[in-house]
Amino acid sequence: MSPLVTHSDGIPVAVETTKEFATPVANDIASKLLPDEYFRARLSAVSKNRTTDGIRSVLHLEQTPGLISLLAGKPHSSTFPITSLTFTLRDPIDPSIETPIHLTQAELDEGLQYGPTTGIAPLTEWVYGLQKAAHGRDKGEGWSVTIGNGAQDLIYKAVTALVNPGDAILTEAPVYAGVPPMFQTMLCDVHEVETDADGIDTSSLRALLESWPTDKPKPKVLYTVPYGCNPTGMTATLERRLEVLQLAREHDFFILEDDPYHYLYYGSHPRPPSYFALEKDQPEIGRVVRFDSLSKVLSSGLRLGFASAPNVIIKAMNDHTMVSNLQPNSLAQILAVSVLTRWGYDGFFKHTERVSQFYKAKRDVFEAAMRRHLSDVAEWTSPEAGMFMWFKLLTGENGADGDSNEVIRTKALERGVLALPGTVFFPNKRTSAYVRASFSQLGEQDVDEALRRLRVAILDSR
Ligand code: PMP
């Protein structure tokens, strides 16, 4: 919050707006926080050149008691045609219990009006509480949150804030197909880092970084999906996460932790801590930029996600929001926060546990059908989170890896089944024997029929 001084008429006014995040930090944490200058030096040229919007940067002052605002061009809510909003909410513990929720006038007014760039206060406060409960991170420890139109919006803003055209970047491979286009349009030098069932292959990452040419700037970011990865379904082990954190420190890069499947973990072992949680015990804090999504646990159509990252990076992302879309959708935020605060964190965790069990059951059905139809023509590892099965087609000759592209794009489609060939998930478009199949939607019969058709397509192409 900007410092205020009292004007001669007794009304507080802002004197400067650049130190929005200057909150006191506990000593043990403060000594490990990378300083603001560290982050400022690493912002992209685009980000360094952004200016803060003169209206939006002081919008939050409208909340000051006693202040009369002549500031923003907000339309008057009495001209809006929607006068009330009621919806029905499932109980997180017993979903058969449904309760009608009627938004209060104040909630409705907030939902229909322009709001803060970072997201509405009740939602950002809820996110701070969640990050404390789920990752042990306290508000005021040098990081802050911002809400976006889905995690995708925020990943793009973080990439734009940190990466310059032509920069070298690291991404796990295979990788969520929604991210490489961000790097490709910036003509980045994309380095794929191999993954296996335990996560990022840290020995090849270390080898890559240790043999990095001395005359070439090292990569600034590493993108990874640490739980129930899209497409591989893998969840990185604690050991691998710690190694990646150490490499980030040794070779000076940020970890973009994209974690929309965090709450869809259904593995048999306790869930390993997130990068965001683990970095608190690192000798340096500030290398993790974390993205959460409400898409898989509340609704994907609401388009809500949140980023938790060092203050300077969040400010750079907010400066982007100010010029691109002003703010996240107010009504979506009001709907979400009215659900989340009514449930409380306990209710949220109960709900997400139920959702993860739902996908576990879907995985089991899918895997049983794979065993029936594909056991002699494909190989796979069972995912422990998320909604994807990643399997290798055994179509290559003499035990070599084949290419799933032809089988999936032509033969499978002719037989009436649609999936994605592995090549889609490699930024450098290498040939892949793998296939990604989503098991989130189909019932048992459709799964069985889809895999029966796929089997015919595979045999047909041998
Ligand atoms: N990251 C990953 C790994 C995803 O799988 C998705 C959704 N498919 C997203 C980000 C985008 O999430 P959101 O709906 O929150 O924008």
Side-chain angles (χ1 to χ4, degrees):
M1 175 71 77
S2 303
L4 297 177
V5 293
T6 305
H7 207 260
S8 53
D9 58 5
I11 304 289
V13 293
V15 286
E16 60 106 19
T17 54
T18 52
K19 290 199 175 129
E20 271 191 46
F21 302 108
T23 24
V25 179
N27 281 345
D28 57 325
I29 299 292
S31 63
K32 300 200 291 181
L33 283 180
L34 289 164
D36 284 359
E37 303 75 66
Y38 170 87
F39 300 104
R40 287 203 192 98
R42 277 155 185 78
L43 292 180
S44 65
V46 165
S47 191
K48 281 180 185 152
N49 286 328
R50 283 192 205 283
T51 47
T52 301
D53 174 328
I55 301 171
R56 290 221 142 236
S57 57
V58 289
L59 200 58
H60 60 282
L61 293 179
E62 286 194 326
Q63 310 307 321
T64 313
L67 185 108
I68 300 171
S69 176
L70 306 175
L71 178 74
K74 289 181 176 170
H76 201 280
S77 62
S78 66
T79 65
F80 295 153
I82 299 168
T83 55
S84 77
L85 200 65
T86 305
F87 62 96
T88 307
L89 183 63
R90 281 188 190 145
D91 186 272
I93 300 162
D94 181 351
S96 67
I97 303 172
E98 296 189 339
T99 315
I101 306 290
H102 185 70
L103 290 190
T104 64
Q105 195 58 46
E107 284 172 330
L108 184 64
D109 285 350
E110 195 169 9
L112 294 178
Q113 190 51 274
Y114 285 124
T117 311
T118 50
I120 59 172
L123 186 55
T124 50
E125 285 311 309
W126 182 86
V127 171
Y128 280 115
L130 179 74
Q131 303 306 54
K132 169 74 179 158
H135 307 281
R137 296 296 300 265
D138 285 296
K139 187 180 177 185
E141 282 180 349
W143 61 282
S144 35
V145 302
T146 194
I147 311 292
N149 295 314
Q152 185 79 21
D153 174 38
L154 297 167
I155 298 164
Y156 184 57
K157 286 172 179 164
V159 166
T160 313
L162 293 168
V163 176
N164 284 310
D167 275 355
I169 63 98
L170 301 165
T171 170
E172 64 186 8
V175 60
Y176 165 50
V179 161
M182 300 180 193
F183 298 123
Q184 279 150 5
T185 52
M186 297 167 92
L187 301 176
C188 286
D189 176 18
V190 178
H191 291 260
E192 297 180 0
V193 186
E194 301 295 319
T195 56
D196 58 24
D198 290 338
I200 286 175
D201 175 354
T202 37
S203 12
S204 57
L205 177 57
R206 180 174 288 283
L208 173 72
L209 292 166
E210 286 180 353
S211 60
W212 199 264
T214 46
D215 57 345
K216 198 171 132 190
K218 282 201 176 155
K220 251 191 199 166
V221 299
L222 165 70
Y223 171 82
T224 183
V225 179
Y227 298 88
C229 178
N230 176 358
T232 61
M234 69 72 185
T235 293
T237 61
L238 173 61
E239 198 185 6
R240 291 281 181 90
R241 288 170 198 242
L242 290 171
E243 282 167 15
V244 170
L245 278 163
Q246 189 180 334
L247 286 168
R249 202 167 66 249
E250 282 172 22
H251 296 276
D252 195 18
F253 59 84
F254 292 109
I255 299 167
L256 304 182
E257 174 176 52
D258 178 17
D259 201 4
Y261 304 104
H262 187 84
Y263 296 103
L264 268 56
Y265 181 78
Y266 40 75
S268 42
H269 329 282
R271 182 199 339 235
S274 66
Y275 283 107
F276 188 54
L278 289 169
E279 81 158 343
K280 192 168 174 176
D281 300 320
Q282 295 293 303
E284 278 172 357
I285 304 177
R287 298 204 173 272
V288 178
V289 179
R290 179 176 168 80
F291 305 94
D292 283 272
S293 173
L294 293 179
S295 286
K296 325 290 171 181
V297 290
L298 277 200
S299 148
S300 37
L302 282 179
R303 304 305 305 127
L304 288 175
F306 42 96
S308 308
N311 296 333
V312 172
I313 297 178
I314 292 290
K315 172 157 188 329
M317 292 165 70
N318 289 337
D319 287 348
H320 185 157
T321 300
M322 285 186 201
V323 292
S324 63
N325 54 342
L326 300 183
Q327 59 162 100
N329 178 318
S330 302
L331 193 56
Q333 293 180 82
I334 281 289
L335 283 178
V337 85
S338 60
V339 171
L340 296 166
T341 51
R342 274 173 181 91
W343 278 352
Y345 295 112
D346 235 30
F348 176 73
F349 292 132
K350 294 233 161 65
H351 168 73
T352 54
E353 177 55 24
R354 206 167 51 76
V355 174
S356 74
Q357 290 308 312
F358 173 90
Y359 289 110
K360 181 176 191 234
K362 287 271 181 210
R363 177 205 61 182
D364 291 345
V365 164
F366 199 89
E367 218 177 339
M370 285 185 83
R371 280 194 292 271
R372 277 196 302 280
H373 296 292
L374 304 182
S375 52
D376 55 338
V377 288
E379 275 174 9
W380 65 91
T381 309
S382 190
E384 298 202 311
M387 45 181 75
F388 301 108
M389 191 67 83
W390 177 248
F391 50 98
K392 182 159 116 177
L393 301 188
L394 304 177
T395 50
E397 284 175 19
N398 305 323
D401 277 2
D403 181 357
S404 64
N405 210 27
E406 165 73 7
V407 187
I408 295 302
R409 287 205 198 275
T410 313
K411 304 273 186 223
L413 210 51
E414 280 167 11
R415 303 271 165 198
V417 59
L418 181 63
L420 278 168
T423 184
V424 168
F425 302 96
F426 292 95
N428 297 337
K429 296 286 171 268
R430 75 172 83 156
T431 302
S432 168
Y434 282 82
V435 178
R436 188 195 81 170
S438 168
F439 52 77
S440 59
Q441 293 280 336
L442 300 187
E444 206 162 344
Q445 271 189 351
D446 282 339
V447 168
D448 192 74
E449 178 58 17
L451 297 189
R452 191 194 62 76
R453 292 180 191 180
L454 188 57
R455 175 185 183 77
V456 178
I458 296 167
L459 293 179
D460 205 21
S461 64
R462 270 183 161 180

